[in-house]
Amino acid sequence: MRAFAFRIIGVWALLPALVLLGLPLRRGARAQTGTAQQTLTVVVEPVTRMELSDDLSMTVKQGQTQTVTTSYALRTNRAAAQVIQASASVEADLPGLEVTATMTAPDAESQSMGTKVLLSGDGTATKTLVEDVQGTDAADVELMYEVRASPKTPPGSWSVSITYTLSEE
């Protein structure tokens, strides 16, 4: 009986040493896994950028119409519908000079409003060229100008400045 009692006491005497060594005390014990969590905050900034090709030059004779085609690029990530508007200005009063613009829609969801007169003998006006522009990234989109010079248009070299604005409807 003494030998048996010593064995039980001897095993219990080793218990603190087993715990310090990290040995499992029972069968089927499993290692613990650590988990961690991290939050990543993503901020998408609004983008609206329109780029036009280089400046253009043309010669038009009185009583005739001249057409020139160029291109534009548009990138926007705004969800609200936007419009592209254009206005023209000229450095002097030019009777009989008319400038029109036709802008192709940048994507299938947008809608071109057709040819619009930006400059005429009556002055300048802001016109909507494209409607329903939303989240698009388009390049090499066609933009066409027609310039008419009536017999009333004085000869000379004139600069017509055309400003494009992309804004919410």
Side-chain angles (χ1 to χ4, degrees):
M1 181 84 137
R2 267 187 184 172
F4 182 69
F6 176 73
R7 283 189 180 169
I8 294 177
I9 294 173
V11 171
W12 286 108
L14 294 176
L15 182 62
L18 292 174
V19 170
L20 287 175
L21 291 174
L23 298 175
L25 298 178
R26 58 188 165 110
R27 289 179 108 170
R30 298 179 185 212
Q32 294 181 357
T33 59
T35 61
Q37 182 176 353
Q38 187 173 38
T39 301
L40 173 64
T41 301
V42 177
V43 177
V44 178
E45 295 183 4
V47 174
T48 300
R49 173 183 273 170
M50 184 173 187
E51 296 175 2
L52 299 167
S53 63
D54 294 334
D55 289 342
L56 305 168
S57 180
M58 68 170 43
T59 300
V60 62
K61 295 180 180 179
Q62 288 180 329
Q64 293 186 352
T65 300
Q66 188 73 2
T67 302
V68 64
T69 302
T70 185
S71 65
Y72 74 97
L74 179 66
R75 174 180 287 168
T76 182
N77 63 355
R78 297 179 189 259
Q82 299 174 343
V83 296
I84 301 174
Q85 296 180 318
S87 62
S89 61
V90 67
E91 57 198 41
D93 185 27
L94 292 173
L97 184 68
E98 182 178 272
V99 177
T100 65
T102 307
M103 186 176 252
T104 302
D107 55 32
E109 290 77 30
S110 305
Q111 181 178 0
S112 173
M113 303 311 294
T115 303
K116 298 294 179 179
V117 177
L118 301 179
L119 179 70
S120 69
D122 301 341
T124 64
T126 299
K127 300 291 177 110
T128 299
L129 299 177
V130 179
E131 290 183 342
D132 299 325
V133 177
Q134 296 178 1
T136 189
D137 188 5
D140 296 321
V141 184
E142 186 175 280
L143 173 60
M144 184 179 68
Y145 297 106
E146 287 185 356
V147 178
R148 291 182 189 91
S150 79
K152 295 179 183 179
T153 306
S157 178
W158 312 101
S159 292
V160 177
S161 177
I162 302 171
T163 303
Y164 290 89
T165 305
L166 182 66
S167 60
E168 290 187 16
E169 291 186 37

